[in-house]
Amino acid sequence: MRISVIRKAHFNAAHRLHVPAWSEEENREYFGLCNNPNYHGHNYELEVKVTGECDPVSGYLIDMKDVKCMIDEEVCEPFDHRNLNLDVADFREMNPTAENIAYVIWHKLRKRLDARFDLAVRLCETPRNCVEYHGQ
Amino acid sequence: MRISVIRKAHFNAAHRLHVPAWSEEENREYFGLCNNPNYHGHNYELEVKVTGECDPVSGYLIDMKDVKCMIDEEVCEPFDHRNLNLDVADFREMNPTAENIAYVIWHKLRKRLDARFDLAVRLCETPRNCVEYHGQ
Amino acid sequence: MRISVIRKAHFNAAHRLHVPAWSEEENREYFGLCNNPNYHGHNYELEVKVTGECDPVSGYLIDMKDVKCMIDEEVCEPFDHRNLNLDVADFREMNPTAENIAYVIWHKLRKRLDARFDLAVRLCETPRNCVEYHGQ
Amino acid sequence: MRISVIRKAHFNAAHRLHVPAWSEEENREYFGLCNNPNYHGHNYELEVKVTGECDPVSGYLIDMKDVKCMIDEEVCEPFDHRNLNLDVADFREMNPTAENIAYVIWHKLRKRLDARFDLAVRLCETPRNCVEYHGQ
Amino acid sequence: MRISVIRKAHFNAAHRLHVPAWSEEENREYFGLCNNPNYHGHNYELEVKVTGECDPVSGYLIDMKDVKCMIDEEVCEPFDHRNLNLDVADFREMNPTAENIAYVIWHKLRKRLDARFDLAVRLCETPRNCVEYHGQ
Amino acid sequence: MRISVIRKAHFNAAHRLHVPAWSEEENREYFGLCNNPNYHGHNYELEVKVTGECDPVSGYLIDMKDVKCMIDEEVCEPFDHRNLNLDVADFREMNPTAENIAYVIWHKLRKRLDARFDLAVRLCETPRNCVEYHGQ
């Protein structure tokens, strides 16, 4: 019995979209208001989906408390109420677009999750803009 | 033209997570508050997804009134305002985790649905915890 | 500058509507499925509104961490994953309708909140049924 | 790095479900209230999902402003505050079921989207009824 | 113990904003796309709030099944899947703006509700546009 | 006929809670993570409620396009994708708590709104934290 469980979490962070290899003008033109040098911010909504074989005894795929704990330690504690560009080492060299944030979160969780599970993440930057990453 | 339709429904039920083969202490430790012998409860939100070939004349994949009726008869009537452990025969021997509830719902609907359709269900126990089952 | 802050919280509980002074049949007729002797349950969504004079120095009406803490201690810890009828002393003699649960929550929070603040609560038993109580 | 971005949009429209090849009575029986000759209407909620290889320099799969612009021009401007049967040429000969509206939207956007991207749409006619189309 | 209960409902309808005493051009200019002669439509979300003294025996302000029944009979049955301008007598002479729809709904419910209760309605035409009417 | 209309809008911004008259340590202790010197951010959700006498001819309290325009010019354009502390003059000397942001928004809109209308604003900083201000 192959099943998925989804756990939702959120964090609030500031960020700025900027590519150091481009000129100020190229950055402004490409990223628009998102390039504001003083930063802006979002309430990020995260969905973590874990897929695998359900344990027939407990009826659990995985203990949700463990999934919650993993998300708290890997994502919420280091990202919540932070400036992603300045406070989070992963984004020192990587532009914190929603795509890249989802990519970083997926890799942080993948390291913590047993290899028998598949992993996917969905990250909404606003109620109208989301990304999904499955690690392929 | 292969398409999916999704119909949402909900039911409110009490349950308790408990594995009879385990000791009281093992159950308490593994399931935490969800093992409360006096039960707790949820507003379950269900999404039923039916996939197949759209009928080119009517423009319908399937009549949504039939999907709604099937969900009402198979899920809402027997589960809503019930105690899943005590009132629903399927959970006499099966722990009513979200995973197992989704599994039971999928099999109840699968029997009612024409074989030319694929079926998937998504069940949210709380706004932050969901499961998905596709019958594989 | 008179302002209100609203803090939301939730808890999942089982309950049964029942008036001991009435016969089994009267209870069944009046409360319908909500009278199920085996209980049913809900994800209760709570909004706590505190109104008063904003502090001109901090720009806070009240520290939201204190409001959150008060709700956790007075409501979430004693109510979450409980059977309201059996596990919560307030409902030993009082029917746990949404109206009465809101009344009990209001009084628990009122005792903790400084007298210079007004208090109101809104409690949703399902996404379609809510109650509001302002203590008058 | 293969990733998906999702952009949400909405439009408000009137429609009537009706198959000209069927008698009035057959239409009434099959489509029920949705066959009302005077039309009824919905707030349609649309999700457009674009999948492909993320650009390693910008960190964008695709510029969301371009996706938004494409949806505005192809869907919101021609559909919003319209009568789908009378005002939108695509539905002169095609019954405006949610399935067919999703099919039409997918083809309009497919023409505008670079061939290196995959495309899927999800359209909700009400909060309880949705369809998904991936173009296969 | 003075308390309020809120019951939510919805209906899907077509309408057109138009003032017969004005010229076609004045109507077009004032109401914009909402004046489309072929109609457009919405999923209307309704909240009905009833306020009064809670019954100390049952713990109910009013039986929610009665409130639901009243809303179904007075609002959902006559309005759902209708064209408000053509199918609903109240809007033959009255422009079906959200304000006027809320006014009509309030008066229909007021007639059915015992005089010891206060009544308020909130009607959302879209997730971003709502009106509230308290009958004063 | 006295009625209210509500228009919703949103903006995404960075901010930092800080009282210059306090020491670094007092600020850190009082505001916690919200005092992060590198800022954090939110998707702010705003509800603007306008109350007054409905126009019996048009059936409008006020043209919602005018309300939307006023909110765009006074709030969304100056606040969206900004750093409230650095980019918005109102918060040079005022701590950008949700309470103070609501106060500033109310005063900006009050100046633009005809005196025959009452005005209230509700601002949600996260889905769990909101404030309401009515100008009294």
Side-chain angles (χ1 to χ4, degrees):
Chain A
M1 176 189 167
R2 194 166 172 78
I3 206 161
S4 302
V5 297
I6 294 108
R7 173 75 196 174
K8 299 179 194 169
H10 65 268
F11 56 94
N12 313 318
H15 77 152
R16 177 205 188 187
L17 301 188
H18 189 257
V19 172
W22 297 353
S23 72
E24 289 301 310
E25 201 186 322
E26 284 170 315
N27 271 289
R28 244 192 331 264
E29 199 174 315
Y30 193 75
F31 293 118
L33 290 170
C34 300
N35 182 242
N36 177 2
N38 288 332
Y39 311 99
H40 65 285
H42 297 291
N43 302 332
Y44 290 90
E45 296 285 336
L46 174 66
E47 284 187 36
V48 174
K49 187 199 249 189
V50 177
T51 303
E53 286 295 317
C54 196
D55 174 44
V57 178
S58 67
Y60 268 6
L61 171 70
I62 184 174
D63 191 332
M64 275 296 213
K65 288 190 295 293
D66 295 343
V67 179
K68 180 185 185 302
C69 174
M70 198 186 302
I71 298 172
D72 281 349
E73 288 176 20
E74 297 295 332
V75 183
C76 296
E77 282 166 32
F79 288 17
D80 187 41
H81 280 73
R82 305 293 176 189
N83 182 309
L84 298 179
N85 304 64
L86 300 179
D87 297 330
V88 181
D90 307 82
F91 302 109
R92 292 267 162 72
E93 314 267 309
M94 192 190 270
N95 197 15
T97 58
E99 289 91 330
N100 280 339
I101 303 171
Y103 172 88
V104 164
I105 289 172
W106 188 90
H107 282 277
K108 284 173 178 289
L109 296 175
R110 183 66 275 182
K111 274 181 217 147
R112 291 282 298 268
L113 195 65
D114 193 292
R116 74 179 185 275
F117 296 117
D118 286 339
L119 175 67
V121 299
R122 179 183 173 113
L123 181 73
C124 291
E125 207 169 62
T126 73
R128 300 219 159 256
N129 285 336
C130 305
V131 303
E132 288 179 2
Y133 184 60
H134 305 81
Q136 288 133 7
Chain B
M1 176 190 168
R2 193 167 173 78
I3 206 161
S4 302
V5 296
I6 295 109
R7 173 76 197 173
K8 298 179 194 168
H10 65 269
F11 56 93
N12 313 319
H15 78 152
R16 177 203 187 188
L17 301 188
H18 189 257
V19 171
W22 297 353
S23 72
E24 289 303 309
E25 199 186 323
E26 284 170 316
N27 271 290
R28 246 194 328 266
E29 198 173 316
Y30 194 73
F31 294 118
L33 290 171
C34 299
N35 182 241
N36 177 3
N38 289 331
Y39 311 99
H40 65 286
H42 297 291
N43 302 333
Y44 290 90
E45 295 284 337
L46 175 66
E47 284 187 36
V48 174
K49 188 200 250 189
V50 177
T51 302
E53 285 297 315
C54 196
D55 174 42
V57 179
S58 67
Y60 268 7
L61 172 70
I62 184 175
D63 192 332
M64 275 295 212
K65 287 190 294 294
D66 295 343
V67 178
K68 179 185 185 301
C69 174
M70 197 187 302
I71 299 171
D72 281 349
E73 288 176 19
E74 297 295 332
V75 183
C76 296
E77 282 166 31
F79 288 18
D80 187 40
H81 280 73
R82 306 292 176 190
N83 182 308
L84 298 179
N85 304 63
L86 300 180
D87 298 329
V88 181
D90 307 83
F91 302 110
R92 292 268 163 72
E93 313 268 307
M94 192 190 269
N95 196 16
T97 58
E99 290 89 332
N100 280 339
I101 303 172
Y103 172 87
V104 164
I105 289 173
W106 188 91
H107 281 277
K108 285 173 177 290
L109 296 175
R110 183 66 275 180
K111 274 182 216 147
R112 290 282 298 268
L113 195 65
D114 193 292
R116 73 178 187 276
F117 296 117
D118 286 339
L119 175 67
V121 299
R122 179 182 173 113
L123 181 73
C124 291
E125 207 170 62
T126 73
R128 300 220 160 255
N129 284 338
C130 305
V131 302
E132 287 179 2
Y133 184 58
H134 305 78
Q136 286 133 5
Chain C
M1 176 189 168
R2 192 166 173 78
I3 205 160
S4 302
V5 297
I6 295 110
R7 173 75 196 173
K8 297 179 196 170
H10 65 269
F11 56 93
N12 313 319
H15 77 152
R16 176 204 188 189
L17 301 188
H18 189 258
V19 171
W22 297 354
S23 72
E24 288 303 309
E25 200 187 322
E26 284 170 316
N27 271 289
R28 245 192 331 265
E29 199 173 315
Y30 193 74
F31 293 119
L33 290 169
C34 299
N35 183 242
N36 178 2
N38 289 331
Y39 310 99
H40 65 285
H42 296 292
N43 301 333
Y44 290 90
E45 296 285 336
L46 175 66
E47 284 188 36
V48 174
K49 187 198 249 188
V50 177
T51 303
E53 286 296 316
C54 197
D55 174 44
V57 178
S58 67
Y60 269 6
L61 171 70
I62 183 174
D63 192 332
M64 275 295 212
K65 288 190 296 293
D66 296 342
V67 179
K68 179 184 185 303
C69 175
M70 197 186 303
I71 299 172
D72 282 349
E73 288 176 18
E74 297 295 332
V75 183
C76 296
E77 282 166 32
F79 288 16
D80 188 39
H81 281 73
R82 306 293 175 188
N83 182 307
L84 298 179
N85 305 63
L86 301 179
D87 297 330
V88 180
D90 306 83
F91 302 109
R92 292 267 163 72
E93 314 267 308
M94 192 191 270
N95 196 17
T97 57
E99 288 90 330
N100 280 339
I101 303 171
Y103 173 88
V104 163
I105 289 172
W106 188 90
H107 281 277
K108 283 173 178 289
L109 296 175
R110 183 66 274 180
K111 274 181 215 147
R112 291 282 298 269
L113 195 64
D114 193 293
R116 74 179 185 275
F117 296 118
D118 287 338
L119 175 66
V121 298
R122 179 183 172 114
L123 180 73
C124 291
E125 207 171 61
T126 73
R128 299 218 160 258
N129 285 338
C130 304
V131 303
E132 287 180 1
Y133 184 60
H134 304 80
Q136 287 133 5
Chain D
M1 175 189 167
R2 192 166 173 78
I3 206 160
S4 302
V5 296
I6 294 109
R7 173 75 196 174
K8 298 179 195 170
H10 65 269
F11 57 93
N12 312 319
H15 78 151
R16 177 205 187 187
L17 300 188
H18 189 257
V19 171
W22 297 354
S23 72
E24 289 301 311
E25 200 186 322
E26 284 171 315
N27 270 290
R28 244 192 329 266
E29 200 174 312
Y30 194 74
F31 294 118
L33 290 170
C34 299
N35 183 241
N36 177 4
N38 288 331
Y39 311 99
H40 65 286
H42 297 292
N43 301 333
Y44 290 90
E45 295 286 336
L46 175 66
E47 284 188 35
V48 174
K49 188 199 248 189
V50 177
T51 303
E53 284 297 316
C54 196
D55 175 43
V57 179
S58 67
Y60 268 6
L61 171 70
I62 184 174
D63 192 331
M64 275 295 212
K65 287 190 295 294
D66 295 343
V67 178
K68 178 185 186 303
C69 175
M70 197 186 303
I71 299 172
D72 281 350
E73 287 176 19
E74 297 295 332
V75 182
C76 296
E77 282 167 31
F79 288 16
D80 188 39
H81 281 73
R82 306 292 176 188
N83 182 308
L84 297 179
N85 305 63
L86 300 179
D87 296 330
V88 180
D90 306 84
F91 302 110
R92 292 269 161 72
E93 314 266 308
M94 192 190 268
N95 196 16
T97 58
E99 288 91 330
N100 280 339
I101 303 171
Y103 172 88
V104 163
I105 289 173
W106 189 89
H107 282 277
K108 284 173 177 289
L109 295 176
R110 183 67 275 182
K111 275 183 214 145
R112 290 282 298 268
L113 196 64
D114 193 292
R116 73 179 186 273
F117 296 117
D118 287 339
L119 175 67
V121 298
R122 179 184 173 112
L123 181 74
C124 291
E125 207 170 62
T126 72
R128 299 217 162 258
N129 285 337
C130 304
V131 302
E132 287 180 1
Y133 184 60
H134 305 80
Q136 288 134 6
Chain E
M1 175 190 169
R2 192 167 173 78
I3 205 161
S4 302
V5 297
I6 294 110
R7 172 76 197 174
K8 298 179 195 171
H10 66 270
F11 57 93
N12 312 317
H15 77 153
R16 176 204 188 190
L17 300 188
H18 189 257
V19 171
W22 297 354
S23 72
E24 289 302 310
E25 201 186 321
E26 284 170 315
N27 271 289
R28 243 191 331 266
E29 200 174 313
Y30 193 73
F31 293 117
L33 289 170
C34 299
N35 182 241
N36 178 2
N38 289 331
Y39 310 100
H40 64 286
H42 297 292
N43 301 332
Y44 290 90
E45 296 285 337
L46 175 67
E47 285 187 37
V48 174
K49 188 198 249 188
V50 177
T51 302
E53 285 297 316
C54 197
D55 174 44
V57 179
S58 67
Y60 268 6
L61 171 70
I62 184 174
D63 192 332
M64 275 295 211
K65 288 191 295 295
D66 295 342
V67 179
K68 179 185 185 303
C69 174
M70 198 185 303
I71 299 172
D72 281 349
E73 287 176 19
E74 296 296 331
V75 183
C76 296
E77 282 166 32
F79 288 17
D80 188 40
H81 280 73
R82 307 291 177 190
N83 182 309
L84 298 179
N85 304 63
L86 301 179
D87 297 330
V88 180
D90 306 84
F91 302 110
R92 291 268 162 73
E93 315 265 309
M94 193 191 268
N95 196 16
T97 58
E99 288 90 331
N100 280 338
I101 303 171
Y103 172 88
V104 164
I105 289 172
W106 189 90
H107 281 277
K108 283 172 178 290
L109 296 175
R110 183 66 274 181
K111 275 180 215 146
R112 290 282 299 268
L113 196 65
D114 194 291
R116 73 177 185 275
F117 296 117
D118 286 339
L119 174 67
V121 299
R122 180 182 172 113
L123 180 73
C124 291
E125 207 170 61
T126 72
R128 298 217 162 258
N129 284 338
C130 304
V131 302
E132 287 179 2
Y133 184 60
H134 305 79
Q136 288 134 4
Chain F
M1 175 189 167
R2 192 167 173 78
I3 206 160
S4 301
V5 297
I6 295 110
R7 173 76 196 173
K8 298 178 194 170
H10 65 269
F11 56 92
N12 313 318
H15 78 154
R16 177 205 188 188
L17 300 188
H18 190 257
V19 172
W22 297 354
S23 72
E24 289 303 310
E25 201 185 321
E26 284 170 315
N27 271 289
R28 244 191 331 266
E29 198 174 316
Y30 193 74
F31 293 118
L33 290 170
C34 300
N35 182 243
N36 177 2
N38 289 331
Y39 310 99
H40 65 287
H42 297 291
N43 301 333
Y44 290 90
E45 297 284 337
L46 175 66
E47 285 187 35
V48 174
K49 187 198 249 188
V50 178
T51 302
E53 285 296 316
C54 196
D55 174 42
V57 179
S58 67
Y60 268 8
L61 171 70
I62 184 175
D63 192 333
M64 275 295 211
K65 288 190 295 295
D66 295 343
V67 179
K68 179 185 185 302
C69 174
M70 198 186 300
I71 299 171
D72 281 349
E73 288 177 19
E74 296 295 332
V75 183
C76 296
E77 282 166 33
F79 287 17
D80 188 41
H81 280 73
R82 306 292 176 190
N83 182 307
L84 297 179
N85 305 65
L86 301 179
D87 298 329
V88 180
D90 306 83
F91 302 110
R92 292 268 163 72
E93 314 266 308
M94 192 190 269
N95 197 16
T97 58
E99 289 90 330
N100 280 339
I101 303 171
Y103 172 87
V104 164
I105 289 172
W106 189 90
H107 282 277
K108 284 173 178 288
L109 296 175
R110 183 66 275 181
K111 274 182 215 146
R112 291 282 299 268
L113 195 65
D114 194 292
R116 72 179 186 274
F117 296 118
D118 286 340
L119 174 68
V121 299
R122 179 182 173 114
L123 181 74
C124 292
E125 207 170 62
T126 73
R128 299 218 161 258
N129 285 338
C130 305
V131 303
E132 287 180 0
Y133 184 59
H134 305 79
Q136 288 134 4

